[in-house]
Amino acid sequence: MLPVSNPTSPERLLKKSRSPDKTTTTDTDHKTSSVNRSAYVAASRSHCTWLIISLLCLQLLLFLTLRSIAFPSRRSPETFPSPAAVSSIESLFASNDEPLLTSDDKPSQTRPESNDSGRCETGRVFVYDMPKIFNEVILQECDNLNPWSSRCDALSNDGFGKEATSLTGVIPDDLVPSWFWTDQFVSEIIFHNRILNHRCRTRDPESATAFYIPFYAGLAVGQYLWSNYAAADRDRHCKMMTEWVREQPYWNRSNGWDHFLTMGRITWDFRRTKDEDWGSNCIYIPGMRNITRLLIERNSWDHFDVGVPYPTGFHPRSDSDVAKWQGFVRNRRRETLFCFAGAPRAGIRNDFRGLLLDHCKESGGACRAVDCTAGKCANGSSAILETFLGSDFCLQPRGDSFTRRSIFDCMLAGSIPVFFWRRTAYMQYQWFLPKEPGSYSVYIDRNEVKNGTSIKDVLERFSKEDVRRMRERVIDLIPNLVYAKSPNGLETYKDAFDVALDGVFRRFKEQENWYKWR
């Protein structure tokens, strides 16, 4: 817990970083007699006149001198140090406007700001140079981000996690280097790295269409969600962030309507209404109302929430990786009609997941199940991927919330998702999924299943051609659902990051024409 009274608490450190040195005056400065003050004023006027003339002459001399001096070129982004290397408390609030290094500790190849307006016709993005307490310091405290174990491995490799070398033999050998055991809550790191390297990033805020706030909201609150932390602890980082960003001139120009950030957890982790309830109240803090928020699960009735894909394990390095993977899943032989991977909720009455496991057991071999009880499906297991690769359909009920990462693991494997709640995907990821749900998925109302409808019978009604057509649509969607490993993205495909940023630019352009929230 970080007590507010702690001299090294985030609030005190942030306040210290803002406070300029102040000079003091003595009491004698205020005791000058009226006669002396009049004489002083008269003398001051004379001195001021000569001072102004002297300054004008000095400026002219400086102008003529500076014209003859050759200045060095602006510091190249490739030479910036890694933000992961913070060695002292004074550096917590140093400049944070640098590209993060790639996992092999070599400077990333940052795309220069393009002068070709056609390449950035949708807009340009300005990244705030925030105090490091809002991102880098959180990463450095990876050992303390949850009460059970260190998260340092999960956050390594620029957020992609440990290399998935155990997939050798399950997937093509030349694609193994593109697979990682990626945590589902790391989108903040992935977006921050990519946006610093984006060709349409601008260092001139006057030319920006969008302003990105590189605050790791999900990682910051994650360490306070358990162990009975007080509401103030869960709210602290977000409250500090909004106070900081509201002091920025470009925030005040628009009241935040052209600002956005990534929040790497579900929206409900940031929507606490009472102190004793779960999560933080970040979304309800003054200043957050107009910010566009990229989340792995959105509130379907909040315009400023945007659903983005959960990070999966596949992070292609190039267009070639994407094409090879698509060919692999397209030609994969699938032995079972449908599958389900998940753990039943023993404490929930009429648990729907348990019902799906029962359907699997009663399918007569048409279904393959992976029971994830006791953490058997945690990152580092190939069982789920192999199951999805071998099945035509994959059952996707809601998770602990309406969505689950398994949706994207399933589609990545070329399996056709079967949904039971419309809020699981159709009302979540409109920027990434087709408007016609039937083109890539199957919907079966959960109440029909509870009332005895056989999932197997429903799925067997689809012809081989229907299955082929839907699978092909799923495979076409794969580039839009994954996050590329390359810091500059893919050559021609747009990955999930590209789709999200394009959507942000489009939204801000549209908002200029209809309404700005106040």
Side-chain angles (χ1 to χ4, degrees):
M1 188 178 299
L2 298 173
V4 175
S5 59
N6 190 328
T8 60
S9 68
E11 292 93 335
R12 287 181 177 269
L13 292 172
L14 188 60
K15 183 177 180 181
K16 180 179 178 181
S17 74
R18 291 172 174 164
S19 302
D21 293 334
K22 296 180 180 179
T23 56
T24 56
T25 56
T26 63
D27 291 340
T28 57
D29 293 330
H30 304 290
K31 296 179 180 179
T32 307
S33 67
S34 59
V35 174
N36 289 340
R37 185 176 294 112
S38 298
Y40 174 76
V41 169
S44 295
R45 287 175 177 171
S46 176
H47 291 158
C48 285
T49 301
W50 284 107
L51 180 60
I52 290 171
I53 294 172
S54 299
L55 286 174
L56 289 173
C57 293
L58 180 60
Q59 286 180 338
L60 178 61
L61 178 63
L62 284 173
F63 174 74
L64 295 174
T65 302
L66 289 175
R67 289 187 63 185
S68 64
I69 298 176
F71 286 98
S73 60
R74 186 176 183 177
R75 189 182 187 189
S76 169
E78 287 85 355
T79 66
F80 283 125
S82 167
V86 180
S87 58
S88 65
I89 199 69
E90 290 80 6
S91 64
L92 298 183
F93 304 97
S95 173
N96 191 14
D97 193 24
E98 306 126 8
L100 278 68
L101 293 191
T102 54
S103 56
D104 60 358
D105 292 331
K106 296 179 181 178
S108 58
Q109 297 300 312
T110 305
R111 299 183 188 181
E113 186 170 323
S114 172
N115 293 322
D116 180 5
S117 59
R119 297 188 68 195
C120 297
E121 58 185 6
T122 55
R124 294 186 180 276
V125 59
F126 178 83
V127 183
Y128 274 117
D129 181 13
M130 297 189 76
K132 295 179 180 180
I133 197 71
F134 294 119
N135 38 58
E136 295 174 27
V137 174
I138 294 171
L139 292 184
Q140 291 171 349
E141 297 175 351
C142 56
D143 279 326
N144 304 312
L145 291 183
N146 73 39
W148 303 288
S149 62
S150 170
R151 296 202 64 204
C152 294
D153 282 346
L155 304 182
S156 63
N157 286 330
D158 300 330
F160 297 119
K162 298 179 68 175
E163 296 177 357
T165 54
S166 60
L167 289 179
T168 301
V170 177
I171 63 176
D173 289 346
D174 58 346
L175 288 175
V176 172
S178 294
W179 278 83
F180 298 80
W181 298 126
T182 304
D183 189 87
Q184 63 181 338
F185 298 128
V186 295
S187 57
E188 295 156 342
I189 306 172
I190 294 173
F191 270 79
H192 190 192
N193 274 296
R194 286 288 300 280
I195 214 161
L196 287 176
N197 289 281
H198 199 269
R199 68 174 182 273
C200 295
R201 177 193 176 191
T202 178
R203 297 179 185 273
D204 174 19
E206 288 291 344
S207 68
T209 308
F211 292 79
Y212 182 65
I213 304 170
F215 169 47
Y216 296 171
L219 295 178
V221 74
Q223 60 189 311
Y224 301 114
L225 291 177
W226 296 273
S227 303
N228 298 317
Y229 279 101
D233 295 310
R234 288 173 273 153
D235 300 341
R236 180 171 299 136
H237 280 84
C238 195
K239 184 172 182 287
M240 290 163 51
M241 181 277 292
T242 54
E243 290 174 352
W244 184 89
V245 79
R246 291 174 76 183
E247 294 177 356
Q248 309 310 309
Y250 291 93
W251 167 275
N252 291 310
R253 183 182 68 178
S254 68
N255 202 25
W257 70 268
D258 53 2
H259 286 54
F260 73 108
L261 80 166
T262 310
M263 305 177 81
R265 301 184 68 92
I266 63 174
T267 189
W268 317 108
D269 289 339
F270 307 101
R271 291 182 176 273
R272 191 194 72 246
T273 55
K274 296 184 294 185
D275 283 356
E276 60 270 24
D277 290 343
W278 170 269
S280 80
N281 70 342
C282 184
I283 287 177
Y284 299 127
I285 290 177
M288 281 292 290
R289 179 183 180 184
N290 299 342
I291 297 176
T292 290
R293 306 173 287 266
L294 307 181
L295 303 121
I296 52 177
E297 177 175 324
R298 67 184 291 257
N299 178 349
S300 302
W301 288 273
D302 189 330
H303 170 75
F304 292 95
D305 274 7
V306 175
V308 298
Y310 281 73
T312 64
F314 181 47
H315 303 287
R317 300 157 295 176
S318 63
D319 283 4
S320 176
D321 279 356
V322 174
K324 287 179 181 177
W325 180 257
Q326 288 176 314
F328 172 66
V329 299
R330 180 179 291 113
N331 298 318
R332 178 79 176 190
R333 183 177 179 182
R334 300 177 188 266
E335 302 288 345
T336 54
L337 177 65
F338 66 104
C339 66
F340 173 62
R345 297 294 189 263
I348 299 178
R349 184 180 179 183
N350 299 322
D351 172 40
F352 193 73
R353 290 188 181 200
L355 182 59
L356 294 184
L357 285 171
D358 290 341
H359 273 258
C360 235
K361 294 174 183 177
E362 298 166 0
S363 69
C367 177
R368 179 176 176 180
V370 180
D371 189 337
C372 295
T373 304
K376 296 177 183 177
C377 300
N379 290 343
S381 170
S382 61
I384 293 179
L385 178 59
E386 290 183 278
T387 299
F388 289 154
L389 285 170
S391 304
D392 284 329
F393 298 92
C394 58
L395 307 185
Q396 294 298 331
R398 58 174 291 171
D400 294 324
S401 57
F402 285 101
T403 65
R404 61 201 299 247
R405 167 177 158 161
S406 181
I407 299 167
F408 300 98
D409 290 331
C410 154
M411 297 179 69
L412 178 60
S415 192
I416 302 162
V418 180
F419 298 118
F420 306 90
W421 278 262
R422 296 190 183 278
R423 288 175 68 181
T424 300
Y426 304 151
M427 300 172 68
Q428 289 289 339
Y429 309 106
Q430 291 95 330
W431 290 1
F432 304 86
L433 298 176
K435 294 181 179 179
E436 306 79 20
S439 67
Y440 70 94
S441 68
V442 174
Y443 178 75
I444 307 174
D445 190 277
R446 61 194 174 279
N447 292 316
E448 295 179 7
V449 178
K450 292 177 181 178
N451 292 331
T453 295
S454 167
I455 295 174
K456 176 185 174 184
D457 289 348
V458 172
L459 297 180
E460 284 181 333
R461 293 176 194 148
F462 290 95
S463 68
K464 289 184 178 180
E465 177 57 27
D466 291 334
V467 173
R468 187 204 62 78
R469 174 181 50 79
M470 285 190 285
R471 176 177 297 117
E472 198 59 38
R473 190 70 181 100
V474 168
I475 292 172
D476 286 343
L477 292 171
I478 286 176
N480 294 353
L481 306 180
V482 299
Y483 296 94
K485 181 65 171 68
S486 168
N488 295 324
L490 303 172
E491 296 93 333
T492 59
Y493 288 113
K494 289 190 175 183
D495 71 345
F497 169 84
D498 292 319
V499 174
L501 189 59
D502 284 349
V504 167
F505 286 149
R506 184 171 60 251
R507 162 179 288 223
F508 291 168
K509 289 288 187 182
E510 291 171 352
Q511 285 179 170
E512 288 181 350
N513 299 326
W514 57 271
Y515 189 72
K516 296 179 183 178
W517 288 78
R518 297 296 181 187

